[in-house]
Amino acid sequence: MAKPKKTPRPKAETPKGFRDYFGAEVTQRAEMLRKIAGVYHRYGFDALESSGVETVEALGKFLPDVDRPNEGVFAWQEDADADKPGDWLALRYDLTAPLARVYAQHRNDLPTPYRRYAMGPVWRNEKPGPGRFRQFYQCDADTVGAPSVAADAEICAMLADCLEEVGIERGDYIVRVNNRKVLNGVMEVAGVLDPSDPEKFAAERGIVLRAIDKLDRLGLDGVRALLGEGRKDDSGDFTDGAGLSEAQADVVMGFMQAKRDTGAETVARLRDLVEGSAAGLQGVEELETIADLMAAGGYGPDRVEIDPSVVRGLGYYTGPVFEAELTFEIKDDKGRVRNFGSVAGGGRYDDLVKRFTGQEVPATGVSIGVDRLLAALHAKGRLSSDTVGPVVVTVMDKARMADYQAMVAELRQAGIRAEVYLGNPKNFGNQLKYADRRGSPVAVIAGGDEFDSGMIQIKDLILGAKIAENATLEEWKDRPSQYEVPRADLVAKVREILELDR
């Protein structure tokens, strides 16, 4: 008789493109989200927590097809009913598409404008890579129903405030602002597109925008090549270009290099470039208004500046676009010095809600990359991977567990993080090893003799580690790392040690 096959054990590993977060990573992110939420709240935005699952139809960007029904998203199909196939559902890939659905669904019950912020994980079924995961956090704030460019200016000011609130100093960041209408005007003046022919407009605009969108990666020369006949990369692959003439490419490249020493000079240069285009002039006027509003609010060019090189979301945004860039230098994995780069971005997207309502609804917003910001603070030395663990009350006598629990309760009631050691107390050395692995600052020690005498031992674990590393004999004598104190002084002595070791 054949032996039954054993069920294979599952592999203990995270799925590809995902990761686990521990200790300091989780608490530091939570603290950052709390600070950003505080700024959003101060600006009058209300919190919204929408579903993590949407219909693929509502998400819109990644509609399922026959061959790859989950293209771009993690999607599945509901069981079919008797009279119709089941709906396709997907994990949200951002927080903006759900906002459009929520606003369209509840618009009669929401104030206009509707100002909301949202924070949470999003999921993308894309190829993972270094620092690129399939699940990550977004932290958004949006205003829906406000056509005024003042709403865009407010988002820029709020973004600057958020960066400073979480610890990015003024001078280490810049919020750069551009306008999609200006670029459309430049292309119109250059004869690249004809807005009277919508299909031709969309096709030609897309080719040119994709070329411009590669500015950061390819530089001006690479973009210039893609605007013309095309470009061969280092591997020998050739990418067809937009086929613009030299004169047409000159106009587009002039737009990308239009930044001047002051915002007023930049705006004046852009006005020259779009002369003859109504849409382009409207975009320039909007940039001019944003610059005036920023100056009135005390947000000078050291914090927010007009910069035509901002080319994010070319096919998505309809007006002002903005991006927050950290300007300080770091070293990458290969030791090369480079700027840290972008940590947030957004803009005006007046067409998204229209998908549901059939009517254009103005909207603008920003998304902050929380994980990128945390990495930046670590790079600047503002955050440490280490975390302070709880005070550990060790167990010398299992029969006195009630007394140990009373001590830990006193510490917690005083606002001090604490726990009783709940492993096997037989080996006391293992208890101290446990406290060390937990990053505990203090261990409380009490056995039968201590309880009988009304005294307890309190060990300063942080100082003990420092002394073990490099302290002199005199330093040992000047400040002991273990104290014997009356039981009644437990909270006071622990608090004193925690303040000394800060």
Side-chain angles (χ1 to χ4, degrees):
M1 181 177 176
K3 293 183 179 180
K5 292 183 178 180
K6 292 183 179 180
T7 302
R9 294 176 180 173
K11 292 183 179 180
E13 60 183 15
T14 53
K16 188 177 181 180
F18 295 84
R19 60 161 298 194
D20 302 309
Y21 296 86
F22 296 90
E25 295 174 302
V26 177
T27 56
Q28 287 169 0
R29 181 204 287 145
E31 177 64 11
M32 176 172 286
L33 291 175
R34 184 191 66 78
K35 290 179 178 179
I36 294 173
V39 176
Y40 288 165
H41 186 76
R42 193 160 68 238
Y43 271 72
F45 287 74
D46 289 331
L48 170 68
E49 186 173 317
S50 60
S51 169
V53 175
E54 297 282 342
T55 65
V56 175
E57 182 182 21
L59 288 176
K61 186 178 179 182
F62 300 104
L63 291 175
D65 58 42
V66 175
D67 297 322
R68 296 192 65 192
N70 61 341
E71 174 74 17
V73 295
F74 291 98
W76 64 95
Q77 190 172 22
E78 294 254 81
D79 293 337
D81 294 330
D83 57 342
K84 66 174 185 177
D87 290 333
W88 276 95
L89 303 179
L91 294 174
R92 65 191 180 199
Y93 62 80
D94 71 3
L95 299 175
T96 309
L99 169 64
R101 190 268 304 163
V102 167
Y103 183 79
Q105 182 178 350
H106 301 284
R107 61 188 181 281
N108 293 331
D109 301 319
L110 295 173
T112 301
Y114 176 51
R115 300 153 64 83
R116 84 89 176 88
Y117 70 87
M119 302 174 175
V122 298
W123 297 266
R124 296 186 182 177
N125 188 6
E126 298 173 342
K127 184 178 180 179
R132 184 183 181 90
F133 297 99
R134 289 170 165 171
Q135 176 182 320
F136 53 93
Y137 261 74
Q138 285 192 336
C139 183
D140 290 15
D142 297 79
T143 299
V144 182
S148 170
V149 73
D152 303 280
E154 179 184 60
I155 293 288
C156 293
M158 186 168 66
L159 178 52
D161 285 352
C162 284
L163 294 175
E164 293 182 19
E165 182 72 18
V166 302
I168 304 296
E169 294 179 347
R170 200 171 300 183
D172 278 342
Y173 75 89
I174 190 71
V175 178
R176 304 185 296 140
V177 187
N178 195 4
N179 195 306
R180 192 63 63 242
K181 296 175 185 176
V182 179
L183 178 54
N184 289 344
V186 167
M187 290 194 289
E188 183 182 347
V189 170
V192 176
L193 49 81
D194 181 3
S196 65
D197 186 343
E199 291 187 6
K200 185 180 180 184
F201 178 98
E204 293 185 345
R205 178 178 183 268
I207 295 172
V208 174
L209 292 182
R210 283 192 293 274
I212 296 174
D213 202 21
K214 296 183 170 93
L215 175 64
D216 288 346
R217 183 163 60 87
L218 302 181
L220 291 170
D221 291 341
V223 172
R224 178 81 188 214
L226 288 177
L227 290 176
E229 295 303 317
R231 175 183 179 273
K232 182 183 289 187
D233 63 23
D234 294 338
S235 67
D237 291 338
F238 187 82
T239 302
D240 290 334
L244 303 189
S245 68
E246 287 291 323
Q248 289 175 321
D250 284 343
V251 176
V252 176
M253 296 301 295
F255 164 77
M256 298 174 65
Q257 298 172 281
K259 189 173 184 297
R260 298 295 185 263
D261 292 337
T262 68
E265 291 173 349
T266 300
V267 168
R269 174 58 180 151
L270 291 174
R271 193 182 299 277
D272 291 340
L273 287 170
V274 300
E275 186 175 356
S277 168
L281 288 172
Q282 184 183 22
V284 171
E285 290 170 0
E286 289 178 355
L287 285 178
E288 195 168 29
T289 300
I290 289 175
D292 291 342
L293 292 173
M294 291 292 92
Y299 297 84
D302 61 324
R303 303 170 76 185
V304 182
E305 68 175 7
I306 306 299
D307 188 346
S309 69
V310 179
V311 291
R312 62 176 294 111
L314 293 165
Y316 181 76
Y317 295 115
T318 59
V321 291
F322 23 88
E323 185 172 71
E325 180 181 344
L326 303 189
T327 56
F328 58 82
E329 293 182 339
I330 62 168
K331 288 187 177 181
D332 63 16
D333 295 338
K334 296 182 179 180
R336 296 171 299 193
V337 176
R338 62 178 180 84
N339 283 347
F340 191 89
S342 174
V343 293
R348 178 163 289 275
Y349 53 98
D350 289 346
D351 295 335
L352 196 58
V353 180
K354 184 179 181 180
R355 295 180 52 250
F356 297 93
T357 64
Q359 299 174 333
E360 186 174 282
V361 178
T364 186
V366 67
S367 181
I368 297 176
V370 174
D371 293 324
R372 287 277 295 166
L373 264 181
L374 286 171
L377 291 172
H378 279 288
K380 287 288 285 182
R382 303 285 173 77
L383 291 177
S384 169
S385 299
D386 299 329
T387 183
V388 177
V391 171
V392 171
V393 176
T394 61
V395 176
M396 303 287 288
D397 184 351
K398 289 191 290 185
R400 308 297 293 260
M401 185 59 75
D403 294 309
Y404 298 123
Q405 292 289 357
M407 284 193 283
V408 83
E410 284 182 33
L411 292 168
R412 291 167 180 165
Q413 289 164 10
I416 298 171
R417 189 181 180 209
E419 65 172 86
V420 174
Y421 179 75
L422 297 176
N424 186 347
K426 186 175 181 180
N427 187 324
F428 182 71
N430 287 343
Q431 298 192 49
L432 293 183
K433 289 179 181 178
Y434 170 81
D436 181 60
R437 291 194 67 181
R438 296 282 279 128
S440 301
V442 172
V444 179
I445 305 168
D449 293 342
E450 284 80 9
F451 282 118
D452 291 342
S453 64
M455 305 293 287
I456 56 174
Q457 302 288 329
I458 298 180
K459 186 173 184 62
D460 184 339
L461 297 176
I462 293 179
L463 177 65
K466 291 178 180 177
I467 288 174
E469 287 178 3
N470 52 24
T472 65
L473 179 60
E474 289 70 24
E475 288 171 327
W476 269 90
K477 295 176 180 177
D478 288 343
R479 185 181 161 194
S481 62
Q482 186 162 320
Y483 308 86
E484 184 177 62
V485 300
R487 166 67 179 81
D489 293 344
L490 166 66
V491 170
K493 190 62 182 179
V494 168
R495 182 173 283 136
E496 176 189 322
I497 294 173
L498 293 178
E499 291 175 352
L500 284 171
D501 284 337
R502 239 175 231 174

